[in-house]
Amino acid sequence: MEKYRQCGFPRLWAASAFKGATGPSQALPPIEHHLRNNLQWLQVAAQGRKDTLQGIILTGWQRYDHFSVLCELLPVGIPSLAVCLQSLLHGGFTEDVRARVQHLLGISSLEIAGVLSEGTGSFPGSDILALVIQVSLHLRSSVDEMLQMDRYVTGWFSPYHRRRKLIHPVMIQHIQPQALSLLGRWSGLAQELAAALRRVFPEGTVEEWLQENVHPSLGQLQALLQDLEAASPPPPPASPGPAQARAPEDMGAHPVPSSSVCPTLASC
């Protein structure tokens, strides 16, 4: 700041961030990180010449550049925005500031060190935040747990078995219901999230975010179920019903005379 002043800029503005600065594919902003960064800017302002730092611009990037993937969506970053903005306005993050942010967002308990509680908040976009939290924290981990930790999958339907379409029929009963349940649960949540996103974003943004964050895990479950179906033994042929059964005479066969029947195997 002193170098800028010496170059003829007596008043300066700084730029910090409330989201979009901790990873190009970050889904949830780390609130504590952004809060700490903004509080440090307040320290810089206090240590410099009076009125040198005129203000701080809170930026919120949604991509690192035009060719990168989406990072934190705006609805997801609103709690971080509220925390950082109120802290800058009031000169720090006090308990009064925390209570004000909770009131503004409709959040009963604000957690800045970790992830916000699922399903909390009444601010516009809070439904998107709740769904993104579920996807980010549980979707991939639940699918990975089944594919990499479930003993029936790893022991009886490993990649070796899947490539060769080999599986014990009993093991299908252990794997298939769990995979179907998991797929149904996450497919329903994905539809709910897509509907919520379409109320805010254009279709291209919705499609991109789902393809990057949801579809890969759902595709793994669908592939597992397809491989199970391909490896399943064919069903046994159906036995003819009473109406389909015919007497030997009707089928062109003739009864064998009793005199020609061997009384014992040894005599035949």
Short mmCIF file of all heavy atoms in Angstrom, two decimals, residues 23-92:
data_model
loop_
_atom_site.label_atom_id
_atom_site.label_comp_id
_atom_site.label_asym_id
_atom_site.label_seq_id
_atom_site.Cartn_x
_atom_site.Cartn_y
_atom_site.Cartn_z
N GLY A 23 -10.54 -23.49 -4.71
CA GLY A 23 -10.46 -24.69 -5.54
C GLY A 23 -11.34 -24.55 -6.76
O GLY A 23 -12.49 -24.12 -6.63
N PRO A 24 -10.86 -24.90 -7.95
CA PRO A 24 -11.65 -24.71 -9.17
C PRO A 24 -12.92 -25.55 -9.24
O PRO A 24 -13.84 -25.20 -9.99
CB PRO A 24 -10.67 -25.09 -10.29
CG PRO A 24 -9.67 -25.98 -9.63
CD PRO A 24 -9.54 -25.48 -8.24
N SER A 25 -12.98 -26.63 -8.48
CA SER A 25 -14.20 -27.46 -8.48
C SER A 25 -14.83 -27.52 -7.09
O SER A 25 -15.59 -28.45 -6.80
CB SER A 25 -13.88 -28.88 -8.96
OG SER A 25 -12.92 -29.51 -8.12
N GLN A 26 -14.50 -26.55 -6.25
CA GLN A 26 -15.05 -26.50 -4.89
C GLN A 26 -16.56 -26.35 -4.95
O GLN A 26 -17.10 -25.54 -5.70
CB GLN A 26 -14.44 -25.32 -4.13
CG GLN A 26 -14.85 -25.21 -2.69
CD GLN A 26 -14.02 -26.10 -1.79
OE1 GLN A 26 -12.95 -26.56 -2.16
NE2 GLN A 26 -14.49 -26.33 -0.60
N ALA A 27 -17.29 -27.14 -4.16
CA ALA A 27 -18.75 -27.09 -4.15
C ALA A 27 -19.30 -26.30 -2.98
O ALA A 27 -20.34 -25.66 -3.09
CB ALA A 27 -19.34 -28.50 -4.15
N LEU A 28 -18.61 -26.35 -1.83
CA LEU A 28 -19.07 -25.66 -0.62
C LEU A 28 -17.97 -24.72 -0.13
O LEU A 28 -16.84 -25.16 0.09
CB LEU A 28 -19.42 -26.66 0.48
CG LEU A 28 -20.57 -27.63 0.18
CD1 LEU A 28 -20.63 -28.72 1.25
CD2 LEU A 28 -21.89 -26.88 0.11
N PRO A 29 -18.27 -23.44 0.04
CA PRO A 29 -17.22 -22.51 0.47
C PRO A 29 -16.85 -22.71 1.94
O PRO A 29 -17.74 -22.84 2.79
CB PRO A 29 -17.85 -21.13 0.25
CG PRO A 29 -19.33 -21.38 0.31
CD PRO A 29 -19.54 -22.75 -0.21
N PRO A 30 -15.57 -22.73 2.27
CA PRO A 30 -15.15 -22.78 3.67
C PRO A 30 -15.31 -21.39 4.30
O PRO A 30 -14.49 -20.50 4.12
CB PRO A 30 -13.69 -23.21 3.59
CG PRO A 30 -13.24 -22.74 2.24
CD PRO A 30 -14.43 -22.79 1.34
N ILE A 31 -16.36 -21.21 5.07
CA ILE A 31 -16.71 -19.88 5.59
C ILE A 31 -15.59 -19.34 6.47
O ILE A 31 -15.23 -18.15 6.39
CB ILE A 31 -18.04 -19.95 6.36
CG1 ILE A 31 -19.17 -20.37 5.42
CG2 ILE A 31 -18.35 -18.61 7.00
CD1 ILE A 31 -20.52 -20.50 6.10
N GLU A 32 -15.04 -20.17 7.33
CA GLU A 32 -14.01 -19.70 8.25
C GLU A 32 -12.81 -19.15 7.49
O GLU A 32 -12.22 -18.12 7.89
CB GLU A 32 -13.59 -20.82 9.19
CG GLU A 32 -12.61 -20.37 10.26
CD GLU A 32 -12.22 -21.50 11.19
OE1 GLU A 32 -12.21 -22.67 10.74
OE2 GLU A 32 -11.93 -21.22 12.37
N HIS A 33 -12.42 -19.79 6.42
CA HIS A 33 -11.28 -19.33 5.62
C HIS A 33 -11.53 -17.94 5.07
O HIS A 33 -10.67 -17.04 5.17
CB HIS A 33 -11.02 -20.32 4.48
CG HIS A 33 -10.04 -19.83 3.46
ND1 HIS A 33 -8.68 -20.02 3.60
CD2 HIS A 33 -10.21 -19.16 2.29
CE1 HIS A 33 -8.06 -19.47 2.57
NE2 HIS A 33 -8.96 -18.95 1.75
N HIS A 34 -12.70 -17.72 4.48
CA HIS A 34 -13.01 -16.42 3.90
C HIS A 34 -13.17 -15.35 4.98
O HIS A 34 -12.76 -14.19 4.78
CB HIS A 34 -14.27 -16.52 3.05
CG HIS A 34 -14.10 -17.39 1.84
ND1 HIS A 34 -13.25 -17.08 0.81
CD2 HIS A 34 -14.69 -18.58 1.50
CE1 HIS A 34 -13.30 -18.02 -0.12
NE2 HIS A 34 -14.17 -18.94 0.27
N LEU A 35 -13.77 -15.71 6.10
CA LEU A 35 -13.91 -14.76 7.20
C LEU A 35 -12.54 -14.31 7.70
O LEU A 35 -12.28 -13.11 7.89
CB LEU A 35 -14.71 -15.38 8.35
CG LEU A 35 -14.76 -14.58 9.65
CD1 LEU A 35 -15.41 -13.22 9.43
CD2 LEU A 35 -15.49 -15.38 10.73
N ARG A 36 -11.64 -15.25 7.89
CA ARG A 36 -10.30 -14.93 8.39
C ARG A 36 -9.57 -14.00 7.41
O ARG A 36 -8.88 -13.06 7.82
CB ARG A 36 -9.51 -16.22 8.62
CG ARG A 36 -8.17 -16.01 9.28
CD ARG A 36 -7.57 -17.32 9.77
NE ARG A 36 -7.42 -18.27 8.68
CZ ARG A 36 -8.13 -19.39 8.56
NH1 ARG A 36 -9.04 -19.68 9.47
NH2 ARG A 36 -7.92 -20.21 7.55
N ASN A 37 -9.73 -14.26 6.13
CA ASN A 37 -9.09 -13.42 5.11
C ASN A 37 -9.60 -11.98 5.18
O ASN A 37 -8.83 -11.01 5.12
CB ASN A 37 -9.33 -14.00 3.73
CG ASN A 37 -8.79 -13.11 2.62
OD1 ASN A 37 -9.55 -12.63 1.79
ND2 ASN A 37 -7.48 -12.90 2.58
N ASN A 38 -10.91 -11.80 5.35
CA ASN A 38 -11.48 -10.45 5.41
C ASN A 38 -11.10 -9.75 6.70
O ASN A 38 -10.88 -8.53 6.72
CB ASN A 38 -12.99 -10.53 5.25
CG ASN A 38 -13.41 -10.73 3.82
OD1 ASN A 38 -13.39 -9.80 3.01
ND2 ASN A 38 -13.80 -11.95 3.47
N LEU A 39 -11.02 -10.48 7.79
CA LEU A 39 -10.59 -9.87 9.06
C LEU A 39 -9.14 -9.40 8.96
O LEU A 39 -8.76 -8.38 9.56
CB LEU A 39 -10.76 -10.86 10.21
CG LEU A 39 -12.21 -11.24 10.55
CD1 LEU A 39 -12.23 -12.23 11.72
CD2 LEU A 39 -13.05 -10.01 10.88
N GLN A 40 -8.33 -10.12 8.21
CA GLN A 40 -6.95 -9.69 8.02
C GLN A 40 -6.87 -8.41 7.19
O GLN A 40 -6.00 -7.56 7.42
CB GLN A 40 -6.14 -10.81 7.35
CG GLN A 40 -5.87 -11.99 8.28
CD GLN A 40 -5.24 -13.17 7.57
OE1 GLN A 40 -5.29 -13.26 6.34
NE2 GLN A 40 -4.68 -14.09 8.34
N TRP A 41 -7.80 -8.24 6.25
CA TRP A 41 -7.85 -6.99 5.51
C TRP A 41 -8.21 -5.83 6.44
O TRP A 41 -7.70 -4.71 6.27
CB TRP A 41 -8.87 -7.08 4.37
CG TRP A 41 -8.30 -7.61 3.09
CD1 TRP A 41 -8.60 -8.79 2.47
CD2 TRP A 41 -7.32 -6.97 2.27
NE1 TRP A 41 -7.86 -8.93 1.32
CE2 TRP A 41 -7.06 -7.82 1.17
CE3 TRP A 41 -6.61 -5.77 2.37
CZ2 TRP A 41 -6.15 -7.50 0.18
CZ3 TRP A 41 -5.70 -5.45 1.37
CH2 TRP A 41 -5.47 -6.31 0.30
N LEU A 42 -9.06 -6.07 7.41
CA LEU A 42 -9.38 -5.02 8.39
C LEU A 42 -8.13 -4.64 9.19
O LEU A 42 -7.92 -3.45 9.51
CB LEU A 42 -10.48 -5.49 9.34
CG LEU A 42 -11.89 -5.59 8.75
CD1 LEU A 42 -12.85 -6.12 9.81
CD2 LEU A 42 -12.36 -4.25 8.21
N GLN A 43 -7.29 -5.61 9.50
CA GLN A 43 -6.05 -5.31 10.20
C GLN A 43 -5.11 -4.48 9.34
O GLN A 43 -4.45 -3.55 9.82
CB GLN A 43 -5.36 -6.62 10.62
CG GLN A 43 -6.13 -7.43 11.65
CD GLN A 43 -5.42 -8.73 11.99
OE1 GLN A 43 -4.27 -8.94 11.62
NE2 GLN A 43 -6.11 -9.60 12.72
N VAL A 44 -5.07 -4.81 8.06
CA VAL A 44 -4.24 -4.02 7.14
C VAL A 44 -4.74 -2.57 7.09
O VAL A 44 -3.94 -1.62 7.12
CB VAL A 44 -4.27 -4.64 5.72
CG1 VAL A 44 -3.61 -3.71 4.71
CG2 VAL A 44 -3.57 -5.99 5.73
N ALA A 45 -6.04 -2.40 7.01
CA ALA A 45 -6.61 -1.04 6.97
C ALA A 45 -6.29 -0.27 8.23
O ALA A 45 -6.02 0.95 8.18
CB ALA A 45 -8.12 -1.14 6.77
N ALA A 46 -6.30 -0.94 9.37
CA ALA A 46 -6.05 -0.26 10.64
C ALA A 46 -4.59 0.13 10.81
O ALA A 46 -4.27 1.10 11.50
CB ALA A 46 -6.48 -1.14 11.80
N GLN A 47 -3.69 -0.62 10.17
CA GLN A 47 -2.26 -0.37 10.35
C GLN A 47 -1.72 0.66 9.37
O GLN A 47 -0.65 1.21 9.57
CB GLN A 47 -1.47 -1.68 10.19
CG GLN A 47 -1.77 -2.69 11.30
CD GLN A 47 -1.19 -4.05 11.00
OE1 GLN A 47 -0.56 -4.25 9.96
NE2 GLN A 47 -1.41 -5.00 11.91
N GLY A 48 -2.45 0.92 8.29
CA GLY A 48 -1.96 1.87 7.29
C GLY A 48 -2.32 3.30 7.64
O GLY A 48 -2.85 3.60 8.71
N ARG A 49 -2.02 4.20 6.70
CA ARG A 49 -2.36 5.60 6.89
C ARG A 49 -3.87 5.76 6.92
O ARG A 49 -4.60 5.03 6.26
CB ARG A 49 -1.77 6.44 5.74
CG ARG A 49 -0.27 6.53 5.76
CD ARG A 49 0.24 7.24 4.52
NE ARG A 49 1.68 7.35 4.53
CZ ARG A 49 2.36 8.41 4.96
NH1 ARG A 49 1.70 9.45 5.44
NH2 ARG A 49 3.67 8.43 4.93
N LYS A 50 -4.35 6.72 7.64
CA LYS A 50 -5.78 6.94 7.79
C LYS A 50 -6.42 7.24 6.44
O LYS A 50 -5.89 8.05 5.67
CB LYS A 50 -6.04 8.09 8.75
CG LYS A 50 -7.52 8.30 9.04
CD LYS A 50 -7.72 9.43 10.04
CE LYS A 50 -9.22 9.62 10.32
NZ LYS A 50 -9.44 10.74 11.29
N ASP A 51 -7.51 6.58 6.16
CA ASP A 51 -8.31 6.75 4.94
C ASP A 51 -7.60 6.31 3.66
O ASP A 51 -8.06 6.61 2.57
CB ASP A 51 -8.75 8.22 4.77
CG ASP A 51 -9.67 8.67 5.89
OD1 ASP A 51 -10.36 7.79 6.45
OD2 ASP A 51 -9.70 9.87 6.21
N THR A 52 -6.46 5.61 3.81
CA THR A 52 -5.81 5.11 2.60
C THR A 52 -6.65 4.03 1.94
O THR A 52 -6.88 4.06 0.73
CB THR A 52 -4.41 4.56 2.93
OG1 THR A 52 -3.61 5.62 3.46
CG2 THR A 52 -3.74 4.01 1.69
N LEU A 53 -7.10 3.06 2.72
CA LEU A 53 -7.95 1.99 2.20
C LEU A 53 -9.40 2.45 2.26
O LEU A 53 -10.00 2.55 3.34
CB LEU A 53 -7.75 0.71 3.02
CG LEU A 53 -8.41 -0.55 2.43
CD1 LEU A 53 -7.83 -0.88 1.07
CD2 LEU A 53 -8.20 -1.74 3.37
N GLN A 54 -9.95 2.76 1.10
CA GLN A 54 -11.29 3.32 1.03
C GLN A 54 -12.38 2.27 1.21
O GLN A 54 -13.47 2.57 1.70
CB GLN A 54 -11.49 4.00 -0.33
CG GLN A 54 -10.58 5.19 -0.54
CD GLN A 54 -10.94 6.33 0.39
OE1 GLN A 54 -11.99 6.96 0.25
NE2 GLN A 54 -10.08 6.60 1.36
N GLY A 55 -12.13 1.06 0.80
CA GLY A 55 -13.15 0.03 0.91
C GLY A 55 -12.62 -1.32 0.47
O GLY A 55 -11.50 -1.43 -0.05
N ILE A 56 -13.41 -2.36 0.69
CA ILE A 56 -13.06 -3.73 0.30
C ILE A 56 -14.18 -4.28 -0.57
O ILE A 56 -15.36 -4.22 -0.18
CB ILE A 56 -12.85 -4.62 1.54
CG1 ILE A 56 -11.69 -4.09 2.38
CG2 ILE A 56 -12.59 -6.07 1.13
CD1 ILE A 56 -11.50 -4.85 3.70
N ILE A 57 -13.83 -4.77 -1.72
CA ILE A 57 -14.80 -5.36 -2.64
C ILE A 57 -14.87 -6.86 -2.35
O ILE A 57 -13.85 -7.56 -2.43
CB ILE A 57 -14.41 -5.11 -4.10
CG1 ILE A 57 -14.29 -3.62 -4.38
CG2 ILE A 57 -15.41 -5.77 -5.04
CD1 ILE A 57 -13.70 -3.30 -5.74
N LEU A 58 -16.05 -7.34 -2.02
CA LEU A 58 -16.24 -8.78 -1.79
C LEU A 58 -16.56 -9.45 -3.13
O LEU A 58 -17.63 -9.23 -3.69
CB LEU A 58 -17.39 -9.01 -0.81
CG LEU A 58 -17.06 -8.98 0.68
CD1 LEU A 58 -18.33 -9.04 1.50
CD2 LEU A 58 -16.14 -10.13 1.04
N THR A 59 -15.64 -10.24 -3.63
CA THR A 59 -15.88 -10.93 -4.91
C THR A 59 -16.37 -12.35 -4.65
O THR A 59 -16.09 -12.94 -3.60
CB THR A 59 -14.60 -10.97 -5.77
OG1 THR A 59 -13.63 -11.80 -5.12
CG2 THR A 59 -14.03 -9.57 -5.94
N GLY A 60 -17.09 -12.89 -5.60
CA GLY A 60 -17.58 -14.26 -5.50
C GLY A 60 -17.53 -14.92 -6.86
O GLY A 60 -18.46 -14.81 -7.65
N TRP A 61 -16.44 -15.61 -7.14
CA TRP A 61 -16.24 -16.21 -8.45
C TRP A 61 -17.05 -17.49 -8.59
O TRP A 61 -17.20 -18.25 -7.64
CB TRP A 61 -14.76 -16.50 -8.68
CG TRP A 61 -13.93 -15.26 -8.63
CD1 TRP A 61 -13.32 -14.72 -7.53
CD2 TRP A 61 -13.65 -14.38 -9.71
NE1 TRP A 61 -12.68 -13.56 -7.87
CE2 TRP A 61 -12.86 -13.32 -9.21
CE3 TRP A 61 -13.98 -14.38 -11.07
CZ2 TRP A 61 -12.40 -12.29 -10.00
CZ3 TRP A 61 -13.52 -13.35 -11.87
CH2 TRP A 61 -12.74 -12.32 -11.33
N GLN A 62 -17.57 -17.71 -9.80
CA GLN A 62 -18.28 -18.97 -10.08
C GLN A 62 -17.48 -19.86 -11.02
O GLN A 62 -17.81 -21.02 -11.20
CB GLN A 62 -19.67 -18.68 -10.65
CG GLN A 62 -20.61 -19.88 -10.58
CD GLN A 62 -22.06 -19.46 -10.57
OE1 GLN A 62 -22.56 -18.93 -9.60
NE2 GLN A 62 -22.75 -19.71 -11.67
N ARG A 63 -16.45 -19.32 -11.65
CA ARG A 63 -15.47 -20.09 -12.42
C ARG A 63 -14.11 -19.42 -12.23
O ARG A 63 -14.02 -18.22 -12.04
CB ARG A 63 -15.79 -20.09 -13.92
CG ARG A 63 -17.09 -20.77 -14.32
CD ARG A 63 -17.23 -20.74 -15.85
NE ARG A 63 -18.57 -21.11 -16.27
CZ ARG A 63 -19.00 -22.34 -16.44
NH1 ARG A 63 -18.17 -23.34 -16.22
NH2 ARG A 63 -20.23 -22.59 -16.83
N TYR A 64 -13.06 -20.22 -12.35
CA TYR A 64 -11.73 -19.63 -12.31
C TYR A 64 -11.42 -18.91 -13.62
O TYR A 64 -10.69 -17.92 -13.62
CB TYR A 64 -10.69 -20.72 -12.03
CG TYR A 64 -10.45 -20.94 -10.56
CD1 TYR A 64 -11.49 -20.90 -9.64
CD2 TYR A 64 -9.18 -21.19 -10.07
CE1 TYR A 64 -11.28 -21.10 -8.29
CE2 TYR A 64 -8.95 -21.40 -8.72
CZ TYR A 64 -10.00 -21.35 -7.83
OH TYR A 64 -9.79 -21.53 -6.48
N ASP A 65 -11.92 -19.42 -14.72
CA ASP A 65 -11.87 -18.72 -16.00
C ASP A 65 -12.94 -19.32 -16.90
O ASP A 65 -13.70 -20.20 -16.48
CB ASP A 65 -10.47 -18.81 -16.66
CG ASP A 65 -10.02 -20.24 -16.91
OD1 ASP A 65 -10.82 -21.04 -17.45
OD2 ASP A 65 -8.86 -20.57 -16.59
N HIS A 66 -13.04 -18.85 -18.13
CA HIS A 66 -14.14 -19.26 -19.00
C HIS A 66 -14.07 -20.74 -19.40
O HIS A 66 -15.05 -21.28 -19.91
CB HIS A 66 -14.17 -18.39 -20.26
CG HIS A 66 -14.50 -16.96 -19.98
ND1 HIS A 66 -15.71 -16.57 -19.43
CD2 HIS A 66 -13.77 -15.82 -20.14
CE1 HIS A 66 -15.72 -15.26 -19.28
NE2 HIS A 66 -14.56 -14.77 -19.71
N PHE A 67 -12.92 -21.37 -19.22
CA PHE A 67 -12.77 -22.76 -19.64
C PHE A 67 -12.81 -23.73 -18.46
O PHE A 67 -12.74 -24.94 -18.66
CB PHE A 67 -11.45 -22.94 -20.40
CG PHE A 67 -11.40 -22.20 -21.70
CD1 PHE A 67 -10.83 -20.94 -21.77
CD2 PHE A 67 -11.95 -22.74 -22.85
CE1 PHE A 67 -10.80 -20.24 -22.97
CE2 PHE A 67 -11.92 -22.05 -24.05
CZ PHE A 67 -11.35 -20.79 -24.11
N SER A 68 -12.90 -23.23 -17.24
CA SER A 68 -12.90 -24.11 -16.08
C SER A 68 -14.32 -24.54 -15.73
O SER A 68 -15.30 -24.02 -16.27
CB SER A 68 -12.27 -23.39 -14.87
OG SER A 68 -13.11 -22.32 -14.45
N VAL A 69 -14.42 -25.50 -14.83
CA VAL A 69 -15.72 -25.99 -14.39
C VAL A 69 -16.33 -24.99 -13.40
O VAL A 69 -15.67 -24.05 -12.95
CB VAL A 69 -15.60 -27.38 -13.72
CG1 VAL A 69 -15.08 -28.41 -14.71
CG2 VAL A 69 -14.69 -27.30 -12.49
N LEU A 70 -17.58 -25.22 -13.06
CA LEU A 70 -18.24 -24.39 -12.06
C LEU A 70 -17.68 -24.68 -10.67
O LEU A 70 -17.46 -25.84 -10.31
CB LEU A 70 -19.75 -24.67 -12.06
CG LEU A 70 -20.53 -24.19 -13.28
CD1 LEU A 70 -21.90 -24.88 -13.33
CD2 LEU A 70 -20.70 -22.68 -13.25
N CYS A 71 -17.45 -23.63 -9.90
CA CYS A 71 -17.15 -23.82 -8.49
C CYS A 71 -18.40 -23.45 -7.69
O CYS A 71 -19.52 -23.65 -8.18
CB CYS A 71 -15.90 -23.03 -8.07
SG CYS A 71 -15.88 -21.31 -8.56
N GLU A 72 -18.27 -22.91 -6.49
CA GLU A 72 -19.43 -22.71 -5.63
C GLU A 72 -20.50 -21.85 -6.31
O GLU A 72 -20.21 -20.75 -6.80
CB GLU A 72 -19.03 -22.03 -4.31
CG GLU A 72 -17.99 -22.79 -3.53
CD GLU A 72 -16.61 -22.20 -3.69
OE1 GLU A 72 -16.20 -21.97 -4.85
OE2 GLU A 72 -15.95 -21.96 -2.68
N LEU A 73 -21.72 -22.35 -6.32
CA LEU A 73 -22.84 -21.59 -6.87
C LEU A 73 -23.21 -20.46 -5.91
O LEU A 73 -22.99 -20.55 -4.70
CB LEU A 73 -24.04 -22.52 -7.09
CG LEU A 73 -23.79 -23.70 -8.04
CD1 LEU A 73 -25.00 -24.63 -8.04
CD2 LEU A 73 -23.48 -23.22 -9.45
N LEU A 74 -23.84 -19.41 -6.45
CA LEU A 74 -24.17 -18.26 -5.62
C LEU A 74 -25.08 -18.61 -4.45
O LEU A 74 -24.80 -18.18 -3.31
CB LEU A 74 -24.81 -17.16 -6.48
CG LEU A 74 -25.28 -15.92 -5.71
CD1 LEU A 74 -24.13 -15.27 -4.95
CD2 LEU A 74 -25.93 -14.92 -6.65
N PRO A 75 -26.19 -19.37 -4.63
CA PRO A 75 -27.02 -19.69 -3.46
C PRO A 75 -26.25 -20.41 -2.36
O PRO A 75 -26.52 -20.19 -1.17
CB PRO A 75 -28.13 -20.58 -4.05
CG PRO A 75 -28.18 -20.20 -5.48
CD PRO A 75 -26.77 -19.90 -5.87
N VAL A 76 -25.30 -21.23 -2.75
CA VAL A 76 -24.50 -21.97 -1.77
C VAL A 76 -23.57 -21.03 -1.01
O VAL A 76 -23.25 -21.28 0.17
CB VAL A 76 -23.70 -23.08 -2.48
CG1 VAL A 76 -22.76 -23.79 -1.52
CG2 VAL A 76 -24.65 -24.09 -3.13
N GLY A 77 -23.15 -19.93 -1.63
CA GLY A 77 -22.21 -19.02 -1.01
C GLY A 77 -22.83 -17.89 -0.21
O GLY A 77 -22.11 -17.08 0.38
N ILE A 78 -24.18 -17.80 -0.18
CA ILE A 78 -24.83 -16.69 0.52
C ILE A 78 -24.49 -16.65 2.02
O ILE A 78 -24.23 -15.57 2.56
CB ILE A 78 -26.35 -16.73 0.28
CG1 ILE A 78 -26.64 -16.29 -1.17
CG2 ILE A 78 -27.09 -15.83 1.26
CD1 ILE A 78 -28.10 -16.32 -1.56
N PRO A 79 -24.48 -17.76 2.75
CA PRO A 79 -24.07 -17.67 4.17
C PRO A 79 -22.67 -17.10 4.35
O PRO A 79 -22.43 -16.29 5.25
CB PRO A 79 -24.17 -19.12 4.65
CG PRO A 79 -25.21 -19.73 3.77
CD PRO A 79 -24.99 -19.11 2.43
N SER A 80 -21.73 -17.51 3.50
CA SER A 80 -20.38 -16.96 3.58
C SER A 80 -20.39 -15.47 3.26
O SER A 80 -19.69 -14.68 3.92
CB SER A 80 -19.45 -17.71 2.62
OG SER A 80 -18.13 -17.19 2.68
N LEU A 81 -21.18 -15.07 2.28
CA LEU A 81 -21.31 -13.65 1.95
C LEU A 81 -21.84 -12.86 3.13
O LEU A 81 -21.32 -11.78 3.46
CB LEU A 81 -22.22 -13.49 0.73
CG LEU A 81 -22.63 -12.06 0.36
CD1 LEU A 81 -21.41 -11.21 0.05
CD2 LEU A 81 -23.61 -12.07 -0.80
N ALA A 82 -22.86 -13.37 3.78
CA ALA A 82 -23.45 -12.67 4.92
C ALA A 82 -22.45 -12.53 6.07
O ALA A 82 -22.34 -11.47 6.69
CB ALA A 82 -24.70 -13.40 5.39
N VAL A 83 -21.72 -13.60 6.36
CA VAL A 83 -20.74 -13.56 7.45
C VAL A 83 -19.65 -12.55 7.15
O VAL A 83 -19.29 -11.71 8.00
CB VAL A 83 -20.14 -14.97 7.66
CG1 VAL A 83 -18.91 -14.89 8.57
CG2 VAL A 83 -21.17 -15.90 8.26
N CYS A 84 -19.11 -12.59 5.93
CA CYS A 84 -18.01 -11.70 5.58
C CYS A 84 -18.47 -10.25 5.52
O CYS A 84 -17.78 -9.34 6.02
CB CYS A 84 -17.40 -12.12 4.24
SG CYS A 84 -16.57 -13.72 4.27
N LEU A 85 -19.62 -10.01 4.91
CA LEU A 85 -20.11 -8.64 4.78
C LEU A 85 -20.42 -8.02 6.13
O LEU A 85 -20.02 -6.87 6.42
CB LEU A 85 -21.36 -8.63 3.89
CG LEU A 85 -22.00 -7.26 3.62
CD1 LEU A 85 -20.99 -6.30 3.01
CD2 LEU A 85 -23.22 -7.41 2.72
N GLN A 86 -21.12 -8.75 6.99
CA GLN A 86 -21.47 -8.20 8.30
C GLN A 86 -20.22 -7.99 9.16
O GLN A 86 -20.14 -7.03 9.94
CB GLN A 86 -22.44 -9.14 9.02
CG GLN A 86 -23.83 -9.17 8.41
CD GLN A 86 -24.52 -7.81 8.50
OE1 GLN A 86 -24.45 -7.13 9.52
NE2 GLN A 86 -25.18 -7.42 7.42
N SER A 87 -19.22 -8.85 9.00
CA SER A 87 -17.98 -8.69 9.76
C SER A 87 -17.23 -7.45 9.31
O SER A 87 -16.65 -6.72 10.13
CB SER A 87 -17.10 -9.93 9.61
OG SER A 87 -17.74 -11.07 10.15
N LEU A 88 -17.22 -7.18 8.01
CA LEU A 88 -16.56 -5.97 7.51
C LEU A 88 -17.31 -4.71 7.94
O LEU A 88 -16.70 -3.70 8.30
CB LEU A 88 -16.46 -6.02 5.98
CG LEU A 88 -15.49 -7.05 5.39
CD1 LEU A 88 -15.56 -7.03 3.87
CD2 LEU A 88 -14.07 -6.78 5.87
N LEU A 89 -18.63 -4.78 7.91
CA LEU A 89 -19.43 -3.61 8.29
C LEU A 89 -19.27 -3.25 9.77
O LEU A 89 -19.26 -2.07 10.14
CB LEU A 89 -20.91 -3.86 7.97
CG LEU A 89 -21.29 -3.87 6.49
CD1 LEU A 89 -22.76 -4.25 6.33
CD2 LEU A 89 -21.03 -2.50 5.86
N HIS A 90 -19.13 -4.28 10.61
CA HIS A 90 -19.09 -4.05 12.06
C HIS A 90 -17.69 -4.19 12.65
O HIS A 90 -17.53 -4.16 13.87
CB HIS A 90 -20.05 -5.01 12.76
CG HIS A 90 -21.49 -4.80 12.37
ND1 HIS A 90 -22.27 -3.79 12.92
CD2 HIS A 90 -22.29 -5.43 11.48
CE1 HIS A 90 -23.48 -3.83 12.39
NE2 HIS A 90 -23.53 -4.81 11.51
N GLY A 91 -16.69 -4.36 11.80
CA GLY A 91 -15.31 -4.37 12.29
C GLY A 91 -14.86 -5.64 12.96
O GLY A 91 -13.86 -5.65 13.68
N GLY A 92 -15.55 -6.74 12.76
CA GLY A 92 -15.15 -8.02 13.36
C GLY A 92 -16.33 -8.97 13.44
O GLY A 92 -17.48 -8.59 13.18
#
